[in-house]
């Protein structure tokens, strides 16, 4: 498995789709209360579905677990974990301090992690055997 190619393809997707979802529709959110405490929005659900479809299309033998609506699919040794909006409360009140969290594990071992803050144009990437980067450096 070529982590560099996976990282490049995944980063391009989350930057494009994350920014498009947030900026296209602005911050007009529909709050969905799951358990009386936790808040989910229409953006969470849309972005999680898009990322799930992206993984199925590009990494057919990988599993996927999203925070909002997806159930764990462990069809392969590699499993993606995704939180479409970390900091949902900040997102719903218009603060820019929210982001997307992406993780990839080989079995139980994390091998790739991405923190993307679309409004602030900030991205942290960590991968096995490499120094963590901030906005590509």
């Amino acid at each position: 498995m070529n982590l560099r190619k996976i990282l490049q393809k995944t980063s391009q997707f989350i930057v494009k789709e994350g920014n498009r979802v947030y900026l296209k529709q602005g911050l007009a959110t529909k709050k969905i209360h799951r358990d009386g405490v936790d808040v989910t929005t229409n953006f969470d659900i849309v972005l999680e579905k898009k990322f799930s479809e992206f993984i199925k299309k590009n990494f057919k033998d990988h599993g996927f677990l999203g925070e909002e609506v997806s159930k764990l699919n462990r069809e392969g040794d590699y499993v993606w974990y995704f939180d479409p909006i970390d900091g949902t409360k900040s997102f719903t009140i218009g603060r820019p301090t929210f982001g997307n969290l992406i993780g990839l594990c080989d079995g139980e071992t994390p091998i790739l992690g991405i923190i993307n803050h679309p409004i602030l144009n900030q991205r942290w990437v960590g991968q096995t055997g490499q120094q963590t980067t901030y906005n590509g450096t």
Side-chain angles (χ1 to χ4, degrees):
M1 177 167 71
N2 186 330
L3 268 181
R4 185 179 304 242
K5 286 184 181 179
I6 288 174
L7 173 60
Q8 182 180 20
K9 190 176 273 193
T10 305
S11 291
Q12 288 171 349
F13 171 84
I14 198 60
V15 168
K16 177 184 170 192
E17 289 301 320
N19 288 348
R20 189 163 66 90
V21 167
Y22 300 131
L23 299 177
K24 178 181 176 186
Q25 297 181 17
L27 294 177
T29 61
K30 177 182 174 188
K31 294 181 187 177
I32 304 161
H33 296 274
R34 289 192 307 198
D35 58 12
V37 177
D38 198 14
V39 175
T40 300
T41 70
N42 52 318
F43 293 98
D44 286 284
I45 294 167
V46 166
L47 194 53
E48 183 173 312
K49 286 181 180 177
K50 285 180 178 281
F51 191 68
S52 175
E53 291 166 3
F54 166 81
I55 296 300
K56 288 176 190 173
K57 178 182 175 187
N58 291 281
F59 310 108
K60 293 174 178 46
D61 59 339
H62 290 198
F64 179 83
L65 176 63
E67 182 184 42
E68 308 305 336
V69 294
S70 301
K71 295 192 185 324
L72 180 61
N73 167 9
R74 291 190 71 102
E75 292 179 5
D77 292 332
Y78 299 101
V79 178
W80 292 87
Y81 297 88
F82 185 59
D83 182 353
I85 300 178
D86 183 54
T88 304
K89 289 182 183 176
S90 292
F91 176 77
T92 61
I93 62 172
R95 289 192 179 150
T97 53
F98 63 88
N100 324 109
L101 303 179
I102 301 171
L104 174 61
C105 291
D106 180 356
E108 298 295 319
T109 305
I111 58 173
L112 176 66
I114 301 171
I115 301 169
N116 180 54
H117 283 259
I119 300 299
L120 300 174
N121 196 30
Q122 297 176 330
R123 198 161 304 94
W124 292 263
V125 175
Q127 58 182 312
T128 300
Q130 301 291 321
Q131 184 173 353
T132 300
T133 61
Y134 169 71
N135 286 352
T137 58

